[in-house]
Amino acid sequence: MMIDLIQRIKIINAEILIPLLINCRCPLVFFSRSAAAALSSPDQDEGIFNIANPTTGCQKKIEIDDGPQLLAFYDKRIGQEVSGDPLGYEFNGYVFKITGGCDKQGFPMKQGVLTPGRVRLLLHRGAACFRGFGRRNGERRRKTVRGCIVSPEISVLNLVIVRKGENDLPGLTDKENPRMRGPKRASNIRKLFNLAKDDDVRKYVNTYRRTFTSKTGKKCSKAPKIQRLVTPVTIQRKRARIAEKKERVAKAQSEAAEYQKLLASRLKEQRDKRSESLAKRRSRLSSAAKKPAAPVTAA
């Protein structure tokens, strides 16, 4: 509501705007920190929006010089959806999703850092906002990143069109850029062309076939190699792998049974041998006990 009021009166100077709002005595008007900072500093009335349209593959950079138009994006986080109505009548009905951005010093915004300021984080290789090429395994570096909350310090904001509005935006929705390289996975190709499971995916790869001239001057054509494609050959190989696995399991079970049988026979032989030796010892002791003692002669 504060943004609508600012857009209606078109006043950017804080010396005139703030006393005017105070004199209105409207209890529903509140200033956030980002809005107050934007109104108090005239240098924060500029911003660049990188707007991308995934359906057409187009991207366009828009410079915003009006401060009230930028207030609609302040205090929003990465991943939130914002209406495009405050940007002007040509954006009526559009819904944008914030995907990232960077500040005037070039520090990028990082998802999950719930602050509008800058922080220093200990990042590992492969993490967002840190490339980490050429590092050792397990090595981490402390890097400066901007939080995921949009503030007046953000100079470039990346947006993605979620819902199209009433009017066409020149350079975004009025034309379509064909993709140079299409998807490779079979499920993604079916999803792109809205195919059923029984449709042959190989017929639709030629859409992204490109022709070029090699270094030797020969004309060549290349198409995306389909990954995870289910063919009769792959099914046959899968059956062979499963049968081989079953054979290995059956062989291991039979060998284990034979080993247990052999072990039981060996243990039985040892028990029989031990019992036989014990019987012989008992018989010797009993025969020695029954033998009469020799008479003792007087000297």
Side-chain angles (χ1 to χ4, degrees):
M1 187 173 63
M2 179 189 67
I3 299 170
D4 296 337
L5 182 60
I6 294 173
Q7 288 179 345
R8 199 172 294 120
I9 59 181
K10 296 293 182 180
I11 297 176
I12 302 177
N13 193 355
E15 296 178 358
I16 303 175
L17 178 61
I18 295 177
L20 180 61
L21 292 177
I22 293 174
N23 294 329
C24 291
R25 296 180 181 180
C26 181
L28 299 177
V29 176
F30 298 96
F31 282 96
S32 64
R33 293 181 179 179
S34 302
L39 291 173
S40 60
S41 59
D43 297 336
Q44 301 292 343
D45 293 340
E46 295 181 0
I48 298 175
F49 289 166
N50 282 331
I51 304 177
N53 190 2
T55 57
T56 60
C58 299
Q59 186 174 354
K60 189 177 181 180
K61 181 178 72 172
I62 298 177
E63 296 184 4
I64 304 297
D65 298 333
D66 196 359
Q69 293 181 353
L70 299 174
L71 290 176
F73 294 88
Y74 290 158
D75 296 331
K76 298 293 190 300
R77 300 179 184 177
I78 294 178
Q80 285 188 346
E81 296 182 359
V82 185
S83 175
D85 296 341
L87 297 179
Y89 67 92
E90 63 270 11
F91 295 95
N92 289 338
Y94 279 89
V95 176
F96 300 104
K97 182 179 179 182
I98 302 174
T99 58
C102 63
D103 56 8
K104 291 187 176 182
Q105 287 75 29
F107 294 102
M109 299 175 65
K110 182 174 175 60
Q111 178 67 290
V113 183
L114 302 179
T115 177
R118 284 189 296 211
V119 295
R120 289 177 59 83
L121 300 178
L122 201 61
L123 303 178
H124 58 83
R125 182 173 60 182
C129 304
F130 181 58
R131 291 174 296 179
F133 295 117
R135 306 296 181 192
R136 292 182 178 180
N137 292 333
E139 183 181 358
R140 296 187 295 172
R141 290 291 182 94
R142 194 170 293 278
K143 307 293 287 187
T144 302
V145 296
R146 176 70 65 174
C148 67
I149 300 176
V150 181
S151 63
E153 287 79 13
I154 300 298
S155 63
V156 179
L157 196 64
N158 302 329
L159 305 176
V160 173
I161 296 177
V162 177
R163 188 175 63 200
K164 185 180 176 183
E166 303 171 358
N167 305 321
D168 283 336
L169 298 177
L172 278 175
T173 58
D174 57 350
K175 64 178 183 178
E176 183 174 355
N177 290 337
R179 298 177 60 177
M180 182 177 177
R181 292 178 176 86
K184 299 176 67 176
R185 191 178 299 179
S187 59
N188 292 336
I189 296 174
R190 291 192 186 95
K191 187 176 180 181
L192 178 63
F193 292 99
N194 196 14
L195 302 177
K197 192 174 181 180
D198 300 333
D199 295 334
D200 192 3
V201 184
R202 290 171 288 185
K203 297 179 181 179
Y204 297 87
V205 182
N206 293 326
T207 307
Y208 297 101
R209 182 174 294 276
R210 57 191 179 94
T211 58
F212 60 94
T213 305
S214 63
K215 295 181 180 179
T216 58
K218 183 180 179 181
K219 291 185 178 181
C220 303
S221 65
K222 187 180 290 187
K225 183 180 178 182
I226 304 175
Q227 304 292 333
R228 302 185 186 180
L229 180 63
V230 180
T231 59
V233 178
T234 57
I235 296 174
Q236 183 180 0
R237 289 173 181 171
K238 185 177 180 180
R239 288 202 200 102
R241 287 196 303 269
I242 294 173
E244 185 181 357
K245 185 177 180 180
K246 289 182 178 179
E247 289 178 1
R248 289 200 306 267
V249 171
K251 183 180 178 182
Q253 290 177 354
S254 62
E255 290 179 353
E258 291 179 1
Y259 174 74
Q260 293 296 332
K261 186 177 180 180
L262 179 62
L263 184 62
S265 64
R266 294 289 176 83
L267 292 175
K268 185 179 180 181
E269 290 177 0
Q270 289 179 2
R271 287 195 298 269
D272 295 343
K273 190 175 181 180
R274 182 174 177 79
S275 61
E276 186 179 354
S277 63
L278 288 175
K280 289 181 179 180
R281 186 177 180 183
R282 289 194 191 98
S283 64
R284 285 198 305 268
L285 291 175
S286 61
S287 62
K290 290 179 181 181
K291 188 181 295 185
V296 179
T297 57

